Amino acid sequence: MDLSLILAGIVVAVAVAGWWRESAAARRALRQASSLADERSRLLEAATLLDEERRILEMTAGGAPLSEILERVCLGIEHQVRGCLSSILLVDEEGKHLLHGAAPHLPQSYCKAIDGVAIGDGVGSCGTAAYTGEVVIVHEIATDPKWEGFAELAAKAGLEACWSFPIVDSRKRVVGTIAQYHTHPTSPSDRDLRICRIGAHLAAIAIENRQAQASLERDMRRMDLAERAARFGVWEIDVAKRQLLASDNLLALMGLGEQVGRERVEAWIELVHPDHRAEASRRLADCLAGAANLMLELPVRRADGRYRWYRMKGTVEQGAGGVAERITGATQDITAEKEMIQNLQEAKAAAEHATVVKSRFLANMSHEIRTPLNGIIGSISLLRDVNPGPEQREHLETMLASGEALLHVVNDVLDFSKIEAGRIDLDVRPFRLTALLAEVESILAPEARKRGLQVLFHIWPGCDRMRSGDAFRLRQVLLNLVSNAVKFTHLGSVTVEARSRGEEVHFVVEDTGIGMSEEEREGVFVPFLQADTSTTRRYGGTGLGLSISRHLVQMMGGDIWFESTPGVGTRFECKVVLPLVKEEATAASPSAAALAVSTRPMHLLVAEDNHVNQKVVQSMLTRLGHTVDLVDNGKEALEAVQRRDYDAILMDCQMPEMDGFEATARIRQQGITTQIIAFTANAFAEDRKRCLDSGMNDYLPKPITMDRLRALLENTARMNEESGEFCVR
């Protein structure tokens, strides 16, 4: 081969090789330049997105209207995704419909048509996305089944493709949708989806922020309404600055101007009434030191100079190291409450005074009624014992029974009045239940025998133990139940049963009497009510006995109930609590000799201001064989016992110059131990208690009869014999 050709080939090859190398470098440079351009484009896009996000977040933070923020989001998407039309729909409060939020370039007719569209599967792209909570992409609206009901609407608006993202808040709730529409069938790129996702996130922030603001505004309005309705205001103390910030309602409540709303604590203390200022300062200092929360009720001076009462409550908020940083609290106007309390206190005092007046009236009524009754019943009792003829005795017995019936009516009315006034108290003392039941039997047996009835007492083991209670009131209850049974029974018997279980004692009073109808049973415990007027005419009574009995039983920790059948009889039952007491050694039964001295004549002093009663009781005592000295009041009684000794003193309680209580106290102060018997028309249980507590030994309520007077003096004589104090000081 020709050498020159070879050399020429070599030269060409070298040249081609050099060109190839230069071309590869150029291509690499071009590729690098293209890559840099792409990176620059991405950076510009990212910067644009970041700048758009910043503006939207600033609008959100600045409190811009939600509609403006959402429109800005849509415009941002449209700017980033060329050729798209963006819209945002919002879920309504019920979560059932989508409402117009923003759509800057969609046809108004289309926006109006879909405003309020239902949320559901297959309700376009947005309705489906809101329902499923997932992204919905529709490449061609005309053929997609999700748009079956809306394809014609979309076609009129020139819309052919749509993809929609659910807008989800921080609590994972769908609060709206954001969509991209296109005017031709198409599919989204990854970038398109990314832009839409960013828009959904920004919209979620704006929507949630607006909802929070709306909720806060509602709460503020409610708070304002609550403050105004409840007449209170809120405040906060900056502990470091010692500055109090008051709400507008608090300033209005206290009639203060806005300039006072940021005063120092000391300025507020100066508004407190001088009488309460020191206490307020001390309590507030403890609160500022973090030692305790604040709770104050005090009068504060308003701007008009008037004082009103306010209740202040504050809670200490502590920072690092337990140091108090602020105190948050509320102040309420309680002037009306304070005035109401004062009015209630005044009303209570007036009611208590009225009760005292009523009690005094009742005591006076008792005294004034019983005093003449004592003269009547005492005189009749004296006449009955002077061997009258059969006809005279019958009349005297009728008069005596009538007097006793009148006394029973008086007792019921006065007892009921005491109950209404809340003035009945139990006089709790040890007593033996069997003795009380024997007394009830002895009182009612004569009446039962006159009616040809059997009265049977069944006392179970355990009832003979000593118990603590008001024997007088329990006796009153049992007498009422048994006397009613006797009164309403014409044939057959009355059975009284007593059994105990621990402290609880159960009584049953059952008769074979007339019984009660259902209508009559309903009014048994109603005061003043009896079966009908014929019952009152035939059997007498006030209709108060059972009402009083139930009240007394309930005071004793029990209850009373009954069952009754017309023509068959009635069964009353009651339970009371009578605590057991320790048995004490009792004196031996009085001997025959001791009983014999009960007939021994005694020298007695009677202090009584009513001259009729003086004559009656003197006649009774003289007939019983005793000697009597009469005095008109307690002062004369005190002088009499200083002149000579007496076996016993019958002392009235209500007398002029000096009453029986003071006279008894002075007699005891002189060391005189003569037995003093309350001889009084004050017949309430508390009267008996007062007599015994004042130093008297026994109690004889008026009116009296020969039998009761004889029994009491026999007991007095026995006690004098046992103590050796017959006329001995």
Side-chain angles (χ1 to χ4, degrees):
M1 182 179 292
D2 190 357
L3 180 61
S4 61
L5 291 175
I6 295 171
L7 291 173
I10 293 171
V11 171
V12 171
V14 170
V16 171
W19 173 82
W20 181 257
R21 284 194 300 272
E22 292 175 0
S23 178
R27 286 195 303 274
R28 283 197 300 274
L30 286 173
R31 285 196 300 272
Q32 290 175 354
S34 177
S35 177
L36 289 173
D38 290 343
E39 184 64 24
R40 182 175 178 276
S41 178
R42 285 194 297 272
L43 290 174
L44 286 173
E45 179 185 319
T48 302
L49 286 173
L50 287 173
D51 187 57
E52 192 66 31
E53 287 185 36
R54 178 184 59 77
R55 281 197 296 269
I56 292 171
L57 291 174
E58 285 177 350
M59 291 176 68
T60 301
L66 180 61
S67 60
E68 292 183 11
I69 299 172
L70 298 181
E71 185 166 328
R72 183 71 191 186
V73 172
C74 290
L75 290 172
I77 292 174
E78 291 176 355
H79 178 71
Q80 293 294 327
V81 182
R82 299 297 179 182
C84 87
L85 303 173
S86 181
S87 76
I88 294 176
L89 297 176
L90 303 176
V91 175
D92 66 3
E93 291 184 357
E94 296 181 355
K96 296 181 178 180
H97 299 86
L98 290 173
L99 306 177
H100 176 73
H105 294 110
L106 279 176
Q108 290 300 311
S109 59
Y110 179 79
C111 294
K112 186 176 181 180
I114 65 171
D115 187 17
V117 69
I119 296 172
D121 194 12
V123 184
S125 300
C126 295
T128 304
Y131 180 77
T132 62
E134 298 176 352
V135 178
V136 176
I137 299 173
V138 174
H139 307 282
E140 188 173 353
I141 291 175
T143 60
D144 195 292
K146 297 182 186 67
W147 280 82
E148 183 177 351
F150 302 92
E152 184 177 349
L153 179 64
K156 288 181 180 180
L159 306 176
E160 297 193 20
C162 176
W163 40 91
S164 179
F165 275 72
I167 300 173
V168 181
D169 67 8
S170 60
R171 289 183 287 179
K172 308 300 181 186
R173 297 179 308 168
V174 176
V175 294
T177 61
I178 186 167
Q180 290 183 21
Y181 289 90
H182 291 268
T183 57
H184 54 85
T186 185
S187 297
S189 66
D190 291 341
R191 180 177 177 276
D192 293 343
L193 295 177
R194 185 173 72 253
I195 296 297
C196 204
R197 188 174 289 110
I198 292 171
H201 177 66
L202 293 173
I205 293 173
I207 293 170
E208 190 165 13
N209 181 70
R210 185 65 191 91
Q211 289 177 341
Q213 288 180 347
S215 177
L216 179 60
E217 290 170 1
R218 285 196 299 271
D219 290 344
M220 291 294 288
R221 285 195 298 271
R222 290 171 183 163
M223 183 69 174
D224 183 69
L225 289 173
E227 284 187 77
R228 293 176 185 274
R231 296 186 60 78
F232 79 92
V234 296
W235 47 266
E236 181 179 281
I237 295 177
D238 186 322
V239 176
K241 297 179 180 179
R242 296 182 67 83
Q243 186 181 64
L244 189 148
L245 176 63
S247 71
D248 292 341
N249 273 325
L250 178 57
L251 296 176
L253 188 67
M254 302 182 71
L256 302 173
E258 293 182 6
Q259 69 278 6
V260 188
R262 291 181 176 272
E263 290 281 2
R264 287 178 60 81
V265 171
E266 289 74 14
W268 285 85
I269 291 293
E270 289 300 314
L271 298 175
V272 177
H273 192 281
D275 293 346
H276 299 262
R277 198 170 293 161
E279 173 69 7
S281 297
R282 184 184 65 79
R283 299 281 292 278
L284 183 59
D286 291 343
C287 192
L288 290 170
N293 290 330
L294 185 67
M295 176 62 187
L296 280 172
E297 290 184 2
L298 38 77
V300 178
R301 188 179 69 250
R302 291 168 47 89
D304 58 10
R306 294 184 298 118
Y307 284 91
R308 290 184 70 85
W309 279 88
Y310 297 92
R311 178 181 293 121
M312 301 178 182
K313 292 183 180 181
T315 302
V316 178
E317 298 179 30
Q318 297 178 336
V323 178
E325 290 186 345
R326 68 180 55 83
I327 306 169
T328 305
T331 295
Q332 184 179 15
D333 188 330
I334 59 169
T335 305
E337 179 182 329
K338 285 290 185 180
E339 290 174 350
M340 182 181 67
I341 291 173
Q342 183 178 354
N343 292 338
L344 288 173
Q345 289 173 341
E346 292 174 357
K348 180 175 179 287
E352 289 174 347
H353 176 70
T355 299
V356 170
V357 171
K358 184 175 181 179
S359 297
R360 289 174 181 168
F361 172 77
L362 290 173
N364 289 334
M365 283 296 297
S366 174
H367 186 272
E368 294 304 319
I369 293 173
R370 288 172 181 275
T371 297
L373 270 178
N374 184 65
I376 294 170
I377 293 176
S379 298
I380 295 170
S381 181
L382 284 170
L383 289 172
R384 187 185 59 178
D385 291 343
V386 294
N387 297 320
E391 184 177 355
Q392 288 84 1
R393 175 173 290 279
E394 182 180 353
H395 291 320
L396 289 171
E397 291 289 353
T398 301
M399 293 168 64
L400 190 60
S402 298
E404 294 286 353
L406 177 60
L407 180 61
H408 182 71
V409 170
V410 170
N411 286 340
D412 278 354
V413 172
L414 293 177
D415 267 349
F416 185 73
S417 298
K418 279 285 187 177
I419 289 172
E420 280 193 320
R423 303 291 293 181
I424 282 192
D425 296 315
L426 297 180
D427 181 19
V428 178
R429 298 171 183 268
F431 73 98
R432 195 174 295 280
L433 184 58
T434 48
L436 186 147
L437 291 169
E439 185 179 355
V440 171
E441 183 178 14
S442 66
I443 292 172
L444 295 175
E447 177 65 20
R449 282 195 295 270
K450 278 200 298 186
R451 290 171 168 268
L453 302 175
Q454 281 187 302
V455 178
L456 307 173
F457 276 75
H458 300 303
I459 302 174
W460 290 43
C463 291
D464 58 342
R465 301 175 64 182
M466 289 292 290
R467 295 181 179 272
S468 177
D470 190 331
F472 177 81
R473 290 300 182 185
L474 180 59
R475 172 180 173 273
Q476 180 179 347
V477 171
L478 294 176
L479 281 174
N480 181 262
L481 296 179
V482 180
S483 64
N484 279 348
V486 171
K487 179 175 19 176
F488 293 108
T489 302
H490 305 299
L491 295 172
S493 62
V494 174
T495 303
V496 180
E497 182 181 354
R499 57 179 182 270
S500 66
R501 179 181 296 175
E503 294 186 344
E504 187 178 83
V505 181
H506 185 189
F507 298 98
V508 178
V509 178
E510 188 170 9
D511 63 57
T512 58
I514 61 176
M516 289 178 278
S517 66
E518 182 177 354
E519 182 180 355
E520 292 167 346
R521 291 196 296 270
E522 291 177 357
V524 162
F525 295 113
V526 178
F528 301 106
L529 183 64
Q530 291 191 332
D532 53 45
T533 54
S534 64
T535 301
T536 306
R537 289 194 299 269
R538 183 174 181 182
Y539 297 102
T542 61
L544 289 172
L546 288 173
S547 177
I548 294 170
S549 295
R550 182 171 67 169
H551 184 84
L552 294 175
V553 166
Q554 289 172 346
M555 288 181 67
M556 297 178 199
D559 203 357
I560 186 169
W561 65 96
F562 72 98
E563 55 186 30
S564 183
T565 303
V568 177
T570 302
R571 175 186 175 94
F572 271 89
E573 298 185 53
C574 72
K575 289 183 180 180
V576 294
V577 176
L578 301 173
L580 295 164
V581 296
K582 185 179 180 180
E583 295 277 356
E584 297 181 359
T586 56
S589 300
S591 62
L595 291 173
V597 301
S598 66
T599 59
R600 172 180 172 174
M602 292 188 290
H603 195 172
L604 306 171
L605 175 66
V606 176
E608 165 64 64
D609 63 318
N610 184 281
H611 290 169
V612 172
N613 283 335
Q614 283 184 354
K615 292 178 181 179
V616 171
V617 73
Q618 185 177 34
S619 298
M620 286 183 169
L621 294 172
T622 301
R623 184 160 298 171
L624 292 173
H626 305 297
T627 304
V628 182
D629 288 345
L630 297 172
V631 294
D632 292 332
N633 54 60
K635 182 180 179 182
E636 293 179 5
L638 183 61
E639 294 170 352
V641 296
Q642 291 171 340
R643 289 193 298 267
R644 63 153 300 147
D645 296 332
Y646 290 96
D647 292 304
I649 304 169
L650 272 67
M651 182 78 74
D652 191 11
C653 292
Q654 287 185 248
M655 295 181 290
E657 294 195 48
M658 182 184 294
D659 63 26
F661 300 111
E662 184 179 351
T664 298
R666 293 198 181 188
I667 290 171
R668 295 306 185 216
Q669 287 171 2
Q670 296 181 13
I672 299 174
T673 59
T674 303
Q675 288 197 63
I676 301 176
I677 301 161
F679 176 57
T680 176
N682 298 335
F684 293 119
E686 55 266 38
D687 297 323
R688 179 178 184 274
K689 183 177 185 297
R690 184 184 177 192
C691 291
L692 298 177
D693 290 344
S694 70
M696 299 182 189
N697 303 91
D698 212 334
Y699 176 82
L700 183 62
K702 299 174 184 175
I704 60 174
T705 62
M706 286 289 289
D707 293 338
R708 290 173 59 204
L709 184 60
R710 181 186 294 108
L712 182 137
L713 292 177
E714 287 177 353
N715 182 61
T716 300
R718 283 197 297 272
M719 294 180 66
N720 282 343
E721 180 67 20
E722 292 167 4
S723 61
E725 291 195 4
F726 264 112
C727 288
V728 176
R729 184 182 300 180

